[in-house]
Amino acid sequence: MSTVQASTENRAAARPRVNTAAPFPALPRPSRPAHVIRDDAQAIEVARRLAAEFAVEASLRDQEGYLPIAEIDAYSQSGLWGITVPRAYGGAGVSYATLAEVIRILAEADSSIAQITQNHLALVAHIDLDASEEQKRDLFGLVLQGIRFGNAFSEKGSKNVASFETKLRRDGDSVVVSGQKFYTTGALLAHIVPIVAVDDEGKGYLAFADRDSPGLTVINDWSAFGQRTTASGSIRIENVRVPASRLVPVAAFDRPTAAGAISQIIQSAIDAGIAAAAIAETVAFVRTRSRPWIDSGKESAGEDPFTVSAVGELVIRLHAAEALLERAGKAIDVALATPSEEAVTQATLVTSESKVLTTEVAIAATNKLFELAGTRSTLSEHNLDRHWRNARTHTLHDPVRWKYFHIGNFHLNGVNPPRHPWN
């Protein structure tokens, strides 16, 4: 074995992988403050630069299951995790149309990395909507320093996604939390893990626990075939003590707010990025590797009229989805500025429309990739199936069959869509 080969294999062995089914130790907090992004244009510029870097090893990380530790450090230190912190607290307070574009750009490069941010960004919105002024100054300050929030929200064994069995009890200046969580995207590599728990009266709270708190065990047991390196595994919460000052009520859905639409637009942007990546891979493969079908009479696969038309259809559907994504972001901006029932309903509906189109084009584009590129595109050396696996896995969030229903029920019967994180 050559020295170079041995060195490469040693580096590979040292990179932590997903799905070891073992507890994963907390990562150190950043040694220096993150960059603070000042406006929308800079956010887009930084996202494009990072996306170019993240794309280089995206396929390798998926194939080998390497956790994107260095990439996530670069991502949070870039300032992009803090771009929705309001200007009053030192952030850029960017438009949600800009946020959606940032996530779409990053998801086109690596959809797992883009999804790792999802819960952090949703939590920043919840802090703005539900936290006290003192909590906002504290938590927003941490975000701008580069501290990453994870997620301890969903529970695999509960009756439905809105049923929580994780409990908290008050004990002096602290609360003590116990329970189990799954689908904990972001928690593995986070610095703080906000835990959704209910008190004896059934009221929900977010308890912002330090990632290295005694009793908090994040387990690297995410085994899904797609979005593999999100590491969205499980958490054991055994009498975890959290300062009462870090307890934020979950109240944003008790009144008209854009909280649900904010969660949804991030999901929609990820699917748009997956679709864009699949279309780009299709075009590149057809141009350089595919053979024309024998009946076409063409010299290259890119001249096949059926292939040309199919690519055209996918591009149109993607552009329609992206246009609705931008429209949804602007509607969320309006709902945040004027949180009336009407404005929140409009933001929810438009975001739902966006989620339908991005879901459908992501699945269509990742299917068509193989149909148009041909059999050789299925070879494992290309790893193009990662786009289909990612689309199929991620679009299972918040099923679009219910989006159709709520949109139709509003326009036909005047029934406003429900307010919760999945709508």
Side-chain angles (χ1 to χ4, degrees):
M1 181 185 295
S2 70
T3 303
V4 172
Q5 184 181 0
S7 176
T8 300
E9 290 186 0
N10 288 337
R11 286 199 306 274
R15 295 177 73 172
R17 286 179 161 90
V18 299
N19 194 26
T20 64
F24 194 86
L27 296 176
R29 293 194 174 200
S31 59
R32 57 184 175 82
H35 173 67
V36 177
I37 288 174
R38 292 303 177 189
D39 56 36
D40 295 60
Q42 189 183 27
I44 298 294
E45 177 188 349
V46 171
R48 287 175 176 156
R49 174 179 59 78
L50 284 179
E53 296 174 8
F54 296 164
V56 174
E57 286 195 339
S59 178
L60 176 66
R61 286 191 296 272
D62 173 84
Q63 277 190 313
E64 298 296 330
Y66 292 140
L67 287 168
I69 295 174
E71 291 78 10
I72 291 298
D73 283 343
Y75 187 8
S76 56
Q77 284 296 108
S78 75
L80 287 176
W81 290 51
I83 57 176
T84 55
V85 171
R87 289 184 178 275
Y89 299 92
V94 302
S95 165
Y96 273 88
T98 297
L99 177 66
E101 179 62 6
V102 164
I103 297 298
R104 189 206 65 77
I105 289 168
L106 292 165
E108 184 174 355
D110 187 322
S111 55
S112 285
I113 287 176
Q115 190 185 349
I116 287 173
T117 341
Q118 196 271 335
N119 293 295
H120 171 97
L121 294 167
L123 286 159
V124 169
H126 270 285
I127 292 165
D128 191 35
L129 293 167
D130 287 341
S132 68
E133 283 301 311
E134 184 178 353
Q135 288 172 326
K136 289 179 185 180
R137 289 192 294 271
D138 172 30
L139 296 171
F140 286 153
L142 291 173
V143 170
L144 293 175
Q145 290 170 30
I147 297 301
R148 299 189 293 262
F149 297 150
N151 155 47
F153 191 88
S154 295
E155 299 176 8
K156 186 166 60 172
S158 58
K159 180 180 178 181
N160 58 47
V161 291
S163 298
F164 301 108
E165 297 176 3
T166 300
K167 304 293 185 182
L168 66 83
R169 59 178 175 84
R170 297 180 185 274
D171 184 17
D173 293 335
S174 302
V175 295
V176 179
V177 189
S178 294
Q180 290 186 317
K181 300 289 185 177
F182 198 66
Y183 308 115
T184 59
T185 305
L188 203 79
L189 308 182
H191 304 118
I192 291 176
V193 180
I195 305 166
V196 173
V198 294
D199 62 14
D200 290 339
E201 298 177 355
K203 182 171 176 55
Y205 292 89
L206 283 161
F208 285 73
D210 287 343
R211 173 66 170 79
D212 58 359
S213 297
L216 181 64
T217 306
V218 183
I219 303 170
N220 184 14
D221 58 353
W222 179 241
S223 62
F225 62 65
Q227 295 298 96
R228 294 185 66 206
T229 57
T230 60
S232 304
S234 58
I235 294 179
R236 290 197 305 265
I237 306 156
E238 300 167 307
N239 296 315
V240 173
R241 189 171 291 272
V242 181
S245 60
R246 290 275 176 88
L247 193 65
V248 177
V250 178
F253 301 106
D254 299 337
R255 65 191 191 278
T257 73
I262 288 170
S263 290
Q264 289 296 292
I265 197 172
I266 300 167
Q267 306 283 20
S268 186
I270 292 167
D271 295 332
I274 294 172
I279 293 170
E281 295 269 29
T282 303
V283 169
F285 206 97
V286 168
R287 281 177 175 170
T288 60
R289 298 177 184 271
S290 300
R291 295 182 296 181
W293 184 242
I294 188 172
D295 296 331
S296 70
K298 302 298 183 181
E299 292 298 315
S300 70
E303 296 175 295
D304 184 316
F306 295 110
T307 300
V308 171
S309 295
V311 169
E313 180 187 357
L314 288 173
V315 169
I316 290 168
R317 293 174 68 178
L318 176 63
H319 289 171
E322 290 171 342
L324 266 182
L325 193 63
E326 181 181 12
R327 184 181 171 207
K330 292 177 179 177
I332 290 171
D333 293 341
V334 171
L336 287 170
T338 56
S340 64
E341 188 76 46
E342 181 180 5
V344 168
T345 295
Q346 178 66 10
T348 302
L349 290 170
V350 176
T351 305
S352 293
E353 293 174 18
S354 165
K355 184 70 163 57
V356 168
L357 291 198
T358 57
T359 291
E360 293 185 348
V361 74
I363 292 172
T366 54
N367 269 325
K368 281 286 184 180
L369 192 166
F370 302 103
E371 177 187 336
L372 301 179
T375 305
R376 68 182 63 185
S377 66
T378 66
L379 297 178
S380 61
E381 66 195 69
H382 305 305
N383 195 31
L384 295 178
D385 61 295
R386 74 185 187 278
H387 300 298
W388 181 88
R389 289 186 283 104
N390 290 337
R392 185 62 282 177
T393 299
H394 188 262
T395 56
L396 296 175
H397 274 285
D398 325 309
V400 296
R401 61 185 181 273
W402 277 98
K403 307 294 186 192
Y404 279 113
F405 173 81
H406 292 311
I407 293 166
N409 207 21
F410 173 81
H411 288 284
L412 187 62
N413 299 314
V415 178
N416 287 347
R419 291 197 297 264
H420 54 62
W422 308 277
N423 195 52

